[in-house]
């Protein structure tokens, strides 16, 4: 199994450009998440989804949008890139229920210049 | 408002010795705690977890201790190996209501194990 796959691994954007970070998982997990990690900081939750068609905001949702049309895919959209969105983005998935851990993708390093 | 704190940015230990990584939390609703390990240019990988109904959980060289009254948990690695060198994140979640497995992370501790 591939687990959680993110594309691209690296990207440089100019201010004001838009892009979509792709995330797909093959573990049939209901729950999916997007986190960002800034230097020297822990991961912060951007958006999450508990199933196809259901999404909700996390701690730092401003400047981002998500959709969840299938169980497998959970893309993250940046509409108007800003330097503050320079970060490493991690997608994760987990099973519902208690005492379960999240599985993470390898991350997308995004630089906005 | 940092609900999960790892106050030591880095820790350096000798191979074979014990590594102790610490984590404090403030939110009393947290009842499930996890440790993740992260190598450069990779995503975090799950290491070990503990539920609030326990005070200790072991998995091989890794043991996590939970002190609910102090809102403190620690990860012990014995014996430490050079391959353990990585960033370790403490994370917490609450089981009930609308938590949906959302994790709150600490800032991370960089562990370096010297041969």
């Amino acid at each position: 199994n591939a687990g959680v796959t993110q594309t691209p691994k690296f990207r440089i954007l100019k201010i004001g450009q838009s892009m979509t970070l792709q995330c797909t998982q093959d573990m049939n997990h209901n729950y999916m998440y997007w986190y960002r990690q800034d230097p020297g900081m822990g991961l912060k939750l951007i958006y999450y989804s508990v199933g196809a068609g259901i999404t909700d905001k996390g701690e730092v949702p401003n400047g981002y949008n998500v959709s969840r049309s299938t169980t497998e895919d959970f893309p993250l959209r940046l509409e108007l890139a800003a330097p503050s969105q320079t970060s490493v983005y991690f997608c994760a998935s987990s099973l519902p229920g208690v005492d379960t851990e999240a599985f993470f993708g390898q991350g997308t390093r995004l630089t906005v210049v | 408002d940092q609900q999960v704190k790892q106050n030591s940015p880095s820790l350096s230990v000798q191979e074979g010795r014990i590594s102790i990584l610490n984590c404090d939390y403030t939110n009393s609703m947290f009842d499930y705690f996890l440790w993740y390990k992260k190598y450069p240019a990779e995503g975090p990988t799950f290491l070990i977890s503990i539920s609030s109904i326990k005070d200790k959980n072991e998995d091989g060289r890794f043991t996590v201790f939970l002190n609910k009254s102090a809102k403190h948990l620690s990860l012990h690695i014995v014996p430490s190996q050079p391959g353990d060198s990585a960033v370790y994140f403490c994370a917490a979640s609450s089981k009930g209501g609308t938590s949906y497995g959302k994790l709150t992370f600490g800032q991370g501790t960089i562990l370096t194990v010297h041969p």
Side-chain angles (χ1 to χ4, degrees):
Chain A
N1 283 347
V4 180
T5 303
Q6 292 182 237
T7 56
K9 287 188 169 52
F10 305 94
R11 182 74 185 267
I12 298 175
L13 276 183
K14 293 185 177 178
I15 295 173
Q17 286 185 321
S18 61
M19 77 164 293
T20 299
L21 283 67
Q22 301 291 346
C23 174
T24 187
Q25 53 94 6
D26 62 0
M27 297 175 283
N28 203 31
H29 286 171
N30 293 77
Y31 294 174
M32 294 189 74
Y33 316 88
W34 275 105
Y35 292 88
R36 60 176 284 175
Q37 184 195 8
D38 299 325
M41 304 292 288
L43 284 72
K44 292 188 183 298
L45 183 65
I46 305 171
Y47 269 94
Y48 67 100
S49 168
V50 301
I54 307 170
T55 63
D56 207 347
K57 296 177 181 179
E59 185 182 356
V60 289
N62 291 344
Y64 307 95
N65 277 301
V66 293
S67 59
R68 183 97 181 268
S69 57
T70 66
T71 299
E72 294 79 18
D73 300 307
F74 190 39
L76 178 72
R77 179 86 178 159
L78 283 71
E79 289 294 349
L80 291 169
S84 61
Q85 293 177 306
T86 294
S87 190
V88 182
Y89 292 83
F90 293 102
C91 179
S93 70
S94 72
L95 288 168
V98 301
D99 298 352
T100 61
E101 72 269 22
F103 295 81
F104 285 81
Q106 290 203 323
T108 296
R109 183 174 293 274
L110 176 67
T111 302
V112 181
V113 297
Chain B
D1 177 25
Q2 191 79 22
Q3 297 185 67
V4 178
K5 294 182 182 179
Q6 294 175 255
N7 291 318
S8 298
S10 62
L11 175 67
S12 181
V13 300
Q14 279 303 120
E15 181 178 8
R17 306 294 289 267
I18 185 171
S19 296
I20 300 176
L21 295 94
N22 294 303
C23 179
D24 297 294
Y25 63 97
T26 57
N27 189 339
S28 300
M29 298 300 292
F30 290 147
D31 52 14
Y32 185 55
F33 304 90
L34 309 90
W35 285 94
Y36 280 84
K37 177 179 179 179
K38 185 183 178 306
Y39 292 118
E42 294 186 10
T45 55
F46 171 74
L47 192 57
I48 192 169
S49 63
I50 188 166
S51 169
S52 59
I53 62 173
K54 297 183 177 179
D55 55 17
K56 178 182 174 182
N57 189 27
E58 279 183 90
D59 184 1
R61 296 187 297 114
F62 303 92
T63 303
V64 56
F65 296 91
L66 175 63
N67 182 334
K68 283 180 60 180
S69 60
K71 295 190 175 66
H72 177 82
L73 63 155
S74 60
L75 174 68
H76 292 210
I77 306 174
V78 182
S80 301
Q81 299 173 353
D84 295 330
S85 297
V87 180
Y88 288 79
F89 289 101
C90 171
S93 71
S94 54
K95 298 178 190 177
T98 58
S99 63
Y100 300 124
K102 293 177 287 184
L103 297 174
T104 300
F105 283 84
Q107 308 96 308
T109 297
I110 301 170
L111 174 65
T112 305
V113 181
H114 299 283

